Amino acid sequence: MAITVLWRMLHKINVDEVIVAIKATPALNIVAAAAFVIGGYFTLTFYDGFALRTIGRRSVPYRIAALAGFTSYSIGHNIGATVFTGGAVRYRIYSHYGLDAIEVAKICFVAGLTFWLGNVTVLGIGITIHPTAAGAIDQLGETANRLIGLGLLTVLGCYLAWVWSAQREVGKGGWTVRLPRGPNTLLQICIGIIDLSFCALAMYMLLPTEPHIDFITLAVIFVTATLLGFASHSPGGLGVFDAAMLIALYQFEKEHLLAGLLLFRMLYYLTPFAFALLILGVREILLNMHGEREKIELAPVTKVATPILAVEPEKPDASGKL
């Protein structure tokens, strides 16, 4: 469906104009967008740090949480099916520190909860303030969108009241997860909001200057397009995210908007993906070398220990019995 929409919107696009628009993008704007992307990925490291403390694994250092958070989201965002791909990367890293598959699944659950709480908050506030922002995507009127925004905020408020009133748990047996209490849930929401704000600011810096669009409107459109791409499980939301942005930001010239989208993909998706692969590759090489050194050190000990552990055969006594 996304490919069909993109084809209908872009098959007459002038590629030369897109290239010109990319070159015309101010270098300062690109640097600012890159800085916001770095801020967004830095915030993603706190998803894992928060989740580790929620499940009682405070002993895992922040640098490991940062490594797992950055690499899992960078790879998950690009490959798609983030729950599985990101979970596999997390397990590869955390298993080295004694965490089992169930604990890694709990980390994924808490990190996902942080993501959704942030999205619900941003969408609820944004659609309530600017109900027309999502109208181009959901094709609903101002009143209907405002009701959706208020509904999202109501759900969020009910959840906050629920976790604030007592310690809550979800799951059964070994899969039980203690949900963060009220104050920690507020912290969770703040982490999600900051992450989304950095991402939306990066996109905002890459948009054409004319016509002018306010940041809240863009944030609502950006989060909605991101969620649609996330729900599609396509690699990087490819096609779905772009089609939603092109439809919602109809007031911009397609060539100029497409230039901004391409730059955003380069900064937010491809560059972190390359860094994540490089980091994981170097880590695997170092772990393998470390493992080989352990084998070399253990080998002489085994050889020396063999004669020491040998037992001399018993000799028969005077009666001829052993």
Side-chain angles (χ1 to χ4, degrees), residues 287-303:
L287 286 177
N288 184 62
M289 291 172 61
H290 180 67
E292 290 299 324
R293 284 199 300 270
E294 286 183 341
K295 292 178 183 177
I296 292 170
E297 291 172 359
L298 286 174
V301 176
T302 305
K303 290 179 180 178

Side-chain angles (χ1 to χ4, degrees), residues 98-118:
L99 276 70
D100 58 26
I102 294 178
E103 288 176 309
V104 173
K106 290 179 180 180
I107 291 172
C108 293
F109 171 78
V110 176
L113 183 61
T114 304
F115 171 79
W116 283 106
L117 287 173

Side-chain angles (χ1 to χ4, degrees), residues 164-245:
W164 210 298
S165 60
Q167 180 65 66
R168 305 295 182 178
E169 295 182 351
V170 293
K172 293 182 179 180
W175 295 89
T176 301
V177 179
R178 282 194 170 191
L179 297 175
R181 293 292 299 271
N184 283 335
T185 300
L186 289 178
L187 174 61
Q188 204 175 4
I189 292 172
C190 288
I191 292 172
I193 291 175
I194 293 171
D195 168 39
L196 292 171
S197 298
F198 274 131
C199 297
L201 282 167
M203 185 72 250
Y204 191 69
M205 297 304 301
L206 299 173
L207 285 179
T209 54
E210 295 294 335
H212 175 72
I213 182 174
D214 63 275
F215 176 70
I216 295 179
T217 299
L218 174 70
V220 172
I221 293 171
F222 177 84
V223 172
T224 305
T226 301
L227 290 178
L228 288 172
F230 180 81
S232 73
H233 291 298
S234 66
L238 189 62
V240 181
F241 170 81
D242 310 275
M245 293 290 287

Side-chain angles (χ1 to χ4, degrees), residues 31-55:
V31 171
F36 287 131
V37 168
I38 292 171
Y41 274 97
F42 176 67
T43 308
L44 282 177
T45 65
F46 292 103
Y47 279 52
D48 278 52
F50 183 88
L52 283 165
R53 280 148 184 77
T54 299
I55 69 170

